[in-house]
Amino acid sequence: MGIEIDFLPVGNGDSSGDAIAVRWGIPGDYRVLVYDGGTRESGIALANHVLEHYDTCRVDHVVSSHPDADHASGLSVVLEHLDVQRLWLHRPWAYSPLIRHYFDDRRITATSLAARLQDRMRAAHDLEVIARRWGIPIEEPFAGKAIGPFQILSPIHDWYVHALVPAFEKSPEATTNRPLGPPPVSAGIIGALALAPTAFGRWLVENWFFETLRDDVTTTAENESSVVLYGNFAGHGVLLTGDAGVEALRRTAMTAESWGLDLPGTLKFMQIPHHGSRHNVSTAALDRLIGPRQGFTGIAPDRVAYASAGKDSKSHPRQAVMNAFWRRGFQPFATRGSGLRYSYQMPPRPGWGPVTPVAFAERVETWD
């Protein structure tokens, strides 16, 4: 069974988003999954891509990784114009009766909280409305479920409902900070040594064994709620991460280990979280998820990582993140206004050829 994964460009300026199409199977029996759709414009391109390159209007699964508009908006086009069999969507507003007591405002009711979340997550809520209009089944993507050949590794249900949703930036102010996991690890002496002596103007210096990622980084609860998918195609592992942060990646690794999945040993393709942001990965998280630093000799030609980045983005992807994937044996690529195709045991596609990875660099951006 082969697989191909297409990362389409999202946006024309500095902003980044994700619009990803996946096809797997054997000739005459292919299945299609769409994972995020970016903006409405990229959603149109995504629908046309499935029609033209996959030669079908049927999409077996549409997955909304998390409710941010730069991931969810384009999926409305896919739902409206293609034959979608199932939508995988988190519906945070559905948990209002369970979480309303977490918020300061005593006037909040389950109904008013649901309406507020639906309004503030309009792009995601629109997907539910469209799916119900067209009779498309909706299922919530929590760890333990399967989407075709993919297993959901994160988030788990209780963490999502009782820790993440109350901490969403779009939720009201909570009475208590719901913990996302263990407290962040301080950079300590290692962090100080990493940043002070190596600073050179606006840059930091790295090499094949030394990196400047921090272990105390955080991202939004919305990002941490991203649906993480793992598929194994005859020993060829694939990992889609959305905008998952360090805590979600830690939990992903922990779940995989508990299920007997060998991510470091099987992964051949990985989506770089959050367009290559430094606030979503750390040395410890990557070491556990995909394996420790190996240096130049550890690079494998069949291990690649893709980042969705705006054509003119000044912040995505960060060079320190791309370097980190090089060290762990992955060649990193970035869309930057162009489409990227990854394929394994699939027919060649005319007009889609090899591209150049983002080169390893000894100078990376400072944290200031």
Side-chain angles (χ1 to χ4, degrees), residues 2-342:
I3 182 171
E4 58 188 329
I5 305 171
D6 292 297
F7 277 52
L8 275 63
V10 177
N12 297 314
D14 181 63
S15 60
S16 301
D18 280 320
I20 303 169
V22 183
R23 184 171 69 153
W24 70 91
I26 59 176
D29 187 20
Y30 287 124
R31 297 288 184 267
V32 175
L33 176 147
V34 168
Y35 181 92
D36 286 340
T39 63
R40 187 165 184 85
E41 180 183 18
S42 60
I44 295 172
L46 187 58
N48 288 332
H49 182 91
V50 171
L51 292 169
E52 178 182 357
H53 296 295
Y54 296 172
D55 193 28
T56 184
C57 64
R58 177 188 171 107
V59 175
D60 297 273
H61 304 280
V62 166
V63 181
S64 174
S65 71
H66 66 295
D68 286 353
D70 61 337
H71 292 252
S73 296
L75 292 180
S76 61
V77 180
V78 176
L79 294 180
E80 289 169 338
H81 295 284
L82 296 180
D83 183 17
V84 176
Q85 302 301 300
R86 188 172 300 275
L87 170 65
W88 295 82
L89 172 73
H90 285 142
R91 301 165 54 247
W93 45 87
Y95 300 103
S96 297
L98 297 178
I99 64 174
R100 67 184 182 90
H101 63 281
Y102 292 144
F103 305 107
D104 276 331
D105 191 345
R106 297 294 85 183
R107 297 169 297 175
I108 292 178
T109 65
T111 301
S112 66
L113 177 58
R116 175 170 178 161
L117 294 176
Q118 289 169 348
D119 181 64
R120 292 194 172 190
M121 303 179 199
R122 179 56 55 189
H125 182 242
D126 284 347
L127 301 181
E128 179 185 35
V129 173
I130 296 169
R132 297 202 185 285
R133 181 193 311 151
W134 290 104
I136 301 171
I138 302 174
E139 190 158 352
E140 295 211 56
F142 290 117
K145 296 182 179 180
I147 302 179
F150 292 92
Q151 296 172 276
I152 304 175
L153 301 186
S154 185
I156 64 171
H157 178 275
D158 287 350
W159 181 50
Y160 178 85
V161 173
H162 296 287
L164 292 177
V165 176
F168 278 4
E169 291 182 342
K170 300 175 181 66
S171 294
E173 184 175 355
T175 56
T176 58
N177 292 323
R178 307 303 300 171
L180 300 185
V185 178
S186 171
I189 297 177
I190 294 178
L193 290 175
L195 296 176
T198 58
F200 181 79
R202 294 177 54 248
W203 305 93
L204 297 174
V205 178
E206 291 192 344
N207 60 43
W208 279 97
F209 295 96
F210 176 75
E211 64 189 19
T212 57
L213 295 179
R214 294 179 174 177
D215 283 326
D216 59 350
V217 291
T218 59
T219 188
T220 66
E222 283 91 338
N223 287 343
E224 293 284 19
S225 75
S226 291
V227 179
V228 179
L229 298 183
Y230 170 75
N232 191 320
F233 299 82
H236 217 82
V238 169
L239 191 69
L240 298 176
T241 61
D243 283 357
V246 168
E247 179 59 19
L249 296 181
R250 185 189 73 83
R251 287 171 176 261
T252 293
M254 182 172 61
T255 298
E257 292 162 4
S258 69
W259 292 354
L261 303 176
D262 180 15
L263 297 191
T266 61
L267 279 183
K268 301 296 184 181
F269 175 90
M270 179 175 172
Q271 178 188 11
I272 300 174
H274 200 190
H275 324 297
S277 170
R278 294 174 299 182
H279 293 277
N280 290 67
V281 297
S282 68
T283 295
L286 290 179
D287 283 350
R288 185 172 184 181
L289 188 71
I290 63 177
R293 288 163 283 181
Q294 304 176 53
F296 180 79
T297 58
I299 298 172
D302 62 343
R303 301 185 84 192
V304 300
Y306 285 3
S308 295
K311 182 179 181 180
D312 301 313
S313 177
K314 298 178 178 62
S315 56
H316 296 142
R318 293 290 188 175
Q319 186 62 50
V321 176
M322 307 307 267
N323 282 358
F325 276 87
W326 273 113
R327 290 187 190 93
R328 292 163 177 83
F330 286 79
Q331 296 185 66
F333 297 80
T335 54
R336 290 202 174 281
S338 300
L340 291 174
R341 178 186 185 236
Y342 171 82

